[in-house]
Amino acid sequence: MKTEKAGKKAKLPSLKKKSITRKIFSRISLILLIALILPVIAYEQLPEHFYFLLPGVRMWFASDEIMSTYGDEDNFTLAIKAVETGYDAKVEIYNKDGQLIYSTNYTPEMTENIPFPLSEAPVIDDKYKTNYDQLNNENLEVGQRGFSIGKYATAGIEVDFLIHYQYTDTGERISIVMQTSALSSNTRIVILIMSAITIILLLLSLAIIGLALLRLTKPIKQMVQTADKMSKLDFSEKLPPTKVLELSELSDKINTMSDTLDTALTDLQAKNQKLQEDIENERTLDNLRQVFISGVSHELKTPIAIIQGYAEGALTFLDNDPQAAKEYCTVIMDESVRMNQMVMKLLEITKYDSGAYVPTNEVFSIHNMIEEWFAKESNNLTEQGITAINDIPRDCYGEGDSIILTSVANNYLSNAVSHVKGAKIIRVYAESLPDIYRIWVENTGKPISDKDIDKIWNSFYRADKAMSRSQGRFGLGLAIVASIQKLHGQSYGVENTATGVRFRFDIKKAENPNNKGI
């Protein structure tokens, strides 16, 4: 079995395409042709009885006109004469015994109104009847009506009649008679006239539709041209508004889509550029990871060596000098604790940076957060002669994860205690900005050098290289601060002052919960 080459596009069935103008004109032409054929068929091919429909309806209404005046002698006579002249018909009235009491043929000799009641009207001679032979029965009851067809032949000429008859409530029969040859001719004329009017209206409609289509297709062609340019990523052309509401709305949507695509394409190009930058940053991050691993290896190498050496010493003195073995074991425990603390801090940074930790969102007192640390470290501060000042207002409330934000404040304050010099003052205060509180932790002492100030946020970096291992500092505290602030989407930083250093971190503002409901 033969298979198509990979990537080859499947052929779609070809469609014969026509413009909307051609389609509409072809359908109207078909309707016009049918309108021309139908009158010919109606004129030549329809059965004779078809032509009785229109006059039958007229006779029906004529009978209603007569019966509407039944009982009113003057208006009854006027209604009959109006039907005779207006409908070109003959009227005959028979009493309940079937005797003729009125006929159109008798009217020249009749100068007075038809006498009422009809049951007492005089009988007139049957010679005034219209001559025809009834082809169907008139066996209807009182109050009913119907149609009948009659024929009359004389001197080789056959004449057909259409008769509508209706019985009054007292049993008299009122017949309206029309000659069918005249009816057929009139109906044919009506058909021809209506057909001519229909054709004229169709031609006018064709002209109007043609003009309307020109107005419709012009903006559609403009839309096609604009769409073609959009397919070639050219979004400069815009469609003007039109007088047709739907097309004007479509033009607006196409213009909106053009702007959206243009914006999306520009954004995509910017993101591609950003992606290139991210790739470069990733390469930089790889280098930083290598440096990080190298730093971890370096930091762990020393305590591991110490643990190993002291473990061997403890083993040596275990039997001969238990006190020395105990001291060696104490050192091993201290180093183990230190290593555990360092590993936990590394895991904490990893947890924040990897997105595995989802921060909570709660309202807390920033003043109390600082005050709690000062209270916990009060003895240590007093022993070192440090003056601690909490200038955070009591109504200063923040929003975020209070547990890890407390860790930010604690790291800053611990860092301040380690580096405070001179007047030994640590001061914490807040700067109110539109949506955030900017918290400052300032301490007197030696400023940070320019070569170190941008690196202190890196893991294992210590600006003061003379910091001893006995102080238990790993260079991870500020790295934890950076990770927590990034997790909250807030800023952080450091700057030197005239008397020392001050660190900052931002907290989202929150409404004072004590003010709710006031």
Side-chain angles (χ1 to χ4, degrees):
M1 181 184 291
K2 293 183 178 179
T3 57
E4 292 187 358
K5 293 182 178 179
K8 186 176 180 181
K9 292 183 179 178
K11 277 192 174 182
L12 296 175
S14 60
L15 299 175
K16 189 175 181 181
K17 299 178 181 178
K18 290 184 180 179
S19 67
I20 186 173
T21 307
R22 289 183 60 189
K23 283 186 178 181
I24 293 177
F25 272 95
S26 62
R27 282 159 176 73
I28 294 178
S29 300
L30 179 61
I31 294 172
L32 188 59
L33 180 62
I34 294 172
L36 288 170
I37 293 174
L38 285 179
V40 176
I41 295 175
Y43 192 83
E44 298 293 341
Q45 302 297 325
L46 291 177
E48 188 72 18
H49 294 333
F50 173 81
Y51 300 105
F52 295 166
L53 293 177
L54 180 60
V57 173
R58 297 185 67 211
M59 294 170 74
W60 188 280
F61 288 117
S63 179
D64 285 344
E65 289 182 22
I66 294 173
M67 292 303 297
S68 65
T69 60
Y70 182 74
D72 187 341
E73 185 175 343
D74 294 333
N75 290 329
F76 184 71
T77 302
L78 292 174
I80 289 177
K81 295 195 177 294
V83 168
E84 290 172 343
T85 56
Y87 291 84
D88 192 20
K90 293 183 179 181
V91 180
E92 296 176 347
I93 303 176
Y94 297 85
N95 62 22
K96 60 183 178 180
D97 296 326
Q99 297 171 318
L100 184 66
I101 60 176
Y102 175 81
S103 173
T104 301
N105 298 329
Y106 181 72
T107 50
E109 303 177 23
M110 187 174 181
T111 57
E112 297 179 355
N113 292 341
I114 300 173
F116 269 85
L118 291 179
S119 58
E120 299 178 2
V123 177
I124 61 176
D125 198 319
D126 287 345
K127 69 178 181 179
Y128 296 110
K129 289 183 180 180
T130 303
N131 290 324
Y132 58 84
D133 295 325
Q134 199 83 4
L135 297 183
N136 58 332
N137 296 324
E138 301 173 355
N139 298 325
L140 297 177
E141 297 179 0
V142 172
Q144 293 184 337
R145 60 202 301 182
F147 286 93
S148 178
I149 296 176
K151 286 185 177 292
Y152 174 72
T154 179
I157 301 175
E158 190 175 84
V159 180
D160 295 330
F161 295 93
L162 178 65
I163 306 103
H164 175 273
Y165 49 91
Q166 182 171 6
Y167 285 88
T168 67
D169 294 338
T170 55
E172 290 80 20
R173 185 183 70 187
I174 301 175
S175 299
I176 301 174
V177 183
M178 288 187 181
Q179 188 174 332
T180 57
S181 58
L183 297 178
S184 178
S185 299
N186 291 340
T187 303
R188 290 174 187 269
I189 291 171
V190 169
I191 291 174
L192 290 176
I193 292 173
M194 293 300 295
S195 300
I197 292 173
T198 301
I199 292 170
I200 292 171
L201 290 176
L202 284 173
L203 291 173
L204 288 174
S205 300
L206 188 63
I208 293 170
I209 291 172
L211 293 174
L213 285 175
L214 289 176
R215 292 182 60 188
L216 287 173
T217 53
K218 184 177 179 181
I220 291 175
K221 288 179 179 179
Q222 289 180 332
M223 292 177 189
V224 172
Q225 293 173 356
T226 302
D228 182 60
K229 289 186 176 180
M230 289 170 60
S231 68
K232 299 174 182 176
L233 304 181
D234 179 4
F235 306 104
S236 59
E237 185 172 335
K238 295 294 182 285
L239 292 169
T242 65
K243 295 182 179 180
V244 182
L245 177 61
E246 290 78 6
L247 290 179
S248 184
E249 290 179 350
L250 181 58
S251 297
D252 291 340
K253 296 298 182 185
I254 291 176
N255 289 338
T256 302
M257 182 175 65
S258 175
D259 293 337
T260 303
L261 289 175
D262 190 17
T263 302
L265 184 61
T266 303
D267 185 55
L268 182 61
Q269 291 172 344
K271 287 182 177 178
N272 285 337
Q273 181 65 29
K274 181 68 168 53
L275 181 60
Q276 294 295 328
E277 294 174 359
D278 289 342
I279 293 173
E280 294 298 325
N281 291 336
E282 186 64 27
R283 291 172 182 168
T284 304
L285 287 174
D286 286 337
N287 295 331
L288 291 176
R289 290 189 188 99
Q290 293 177 6
V291 173
F292 179 80
I293 293 171
S294 176
V296 171
S297 302
H298 176 74
E299 291 292 330
L300 290 177
K301 182 170 61 177
T302 301
I304 289 173
I306 292 173
I307 290 173
Q308 182 179 2
Y310 275 83
E312 292 174 354
L315 184 61
T316 301
F317 293 112
L318 184 61
D319 294 329
N320 301 326
D321 192 350
Q323 182 62 35
K326 183 178 180 180
E327 292 176 358
Y328 275 55
C329 288
T330 301
V331 174
I332 292 173
M333 289 179 62
D334 291 342
E335 289 300 321
S336 299
V337 170
R338 185 175 183 277
M339 286 178 63
N340 181 64
Q341 291 175 345
M342 182 175 63
V343 170
M344 294 303 295
K345 287 182 179 293
L346 286 172
L347 291 175
E348 187 176 359
I349 294 173
T350 303
K351 178 173 64 175
Y352 298 147
D353 290 344
S354 65
Y357 182 86
V358 179
T360 60
N361 193 35
E362 54 190 333
V363 176
F364 60 93
S365 170
I366 302 176
H367 173 88
N368 291 345
M369 178 178 70
I370 303 300
E371 195 63 31
E372 286 173 5
W373 190 91
F374 281 161
K376 183 176 65 175
E377 297 292 329
S378 60
N379 292 336
N380 183 35
L381 296 173
T382 302
E383 289 176 2
Q384 297 188 48
I386 299 173
T387 302
I389 303 171
N390 184 3
D391 280 341
I392 302 289
R394 292 186 178 275
D395 62 348
C396 185
Y397 284 84
E399 185 176 334
D401 193 320
S402 62
I403 294 176
I404 60 176
L405 286 174
T406 298
S407 178
V408 172
N410 291 351
N411 275 300
Y412 275 169
L413 289 167
S414 297
N415 188 69
V417 170
S418 298
H419 294 86
V420 67
K421 302 291 182 183
K424 289 192 174 183
I425 298 174
I426 297 175
R427 176 172 171 258
V428 184
Y429 56 95
E431 181 183 355
S432 180
L433 299 177
D435 298 315
I436 60 169
Y437 287 116
R438 178 157 290 172
I439 310 302
W440 293 94
V441 178
E442 184 175 358
N443 66 272
T444 58
K446 183 180 178 182
I448 303 172
S449 65
D450 293 339
K451 66 183 180 67
D452 293 324
I453 200 165
D454 293 329
K455 300 176 182 178
I456 60 175
W457 309 102
N458 298 337
S459 298
F460 301 115
Y461 190 86
R462 290 190 289 267
D464 188 352
K465 304 301 186 295
M467 295 293 290
S468 65
R469 288 175 48 80
S470 60
Q471 291 179 283
R473 304 190 63 81
F474 311 105
L476 295 173
L478 295 180
I480 292 175
V481 168
S483 296
I484 292 174
Q485 286 302 102
K486 289 175 183 176
L487 191 63
H488 282 83
Q490 299 294 343
S491 177
Y492 60 95
V494 61
E495 60 186 48
N496 291 319
T497 65
T499 58
V501 179
R502 65 174 185 170
F503 286 81
R504 64 174 174 84
F505 68 106
D506 295 343
I507 299 178
K508 183 179 178 182
K509 275 185 178 179
E511 183 182 354
N512 187 340
N514 298 323
N515 294 336
K516 291 183 179 180
I518 296 178

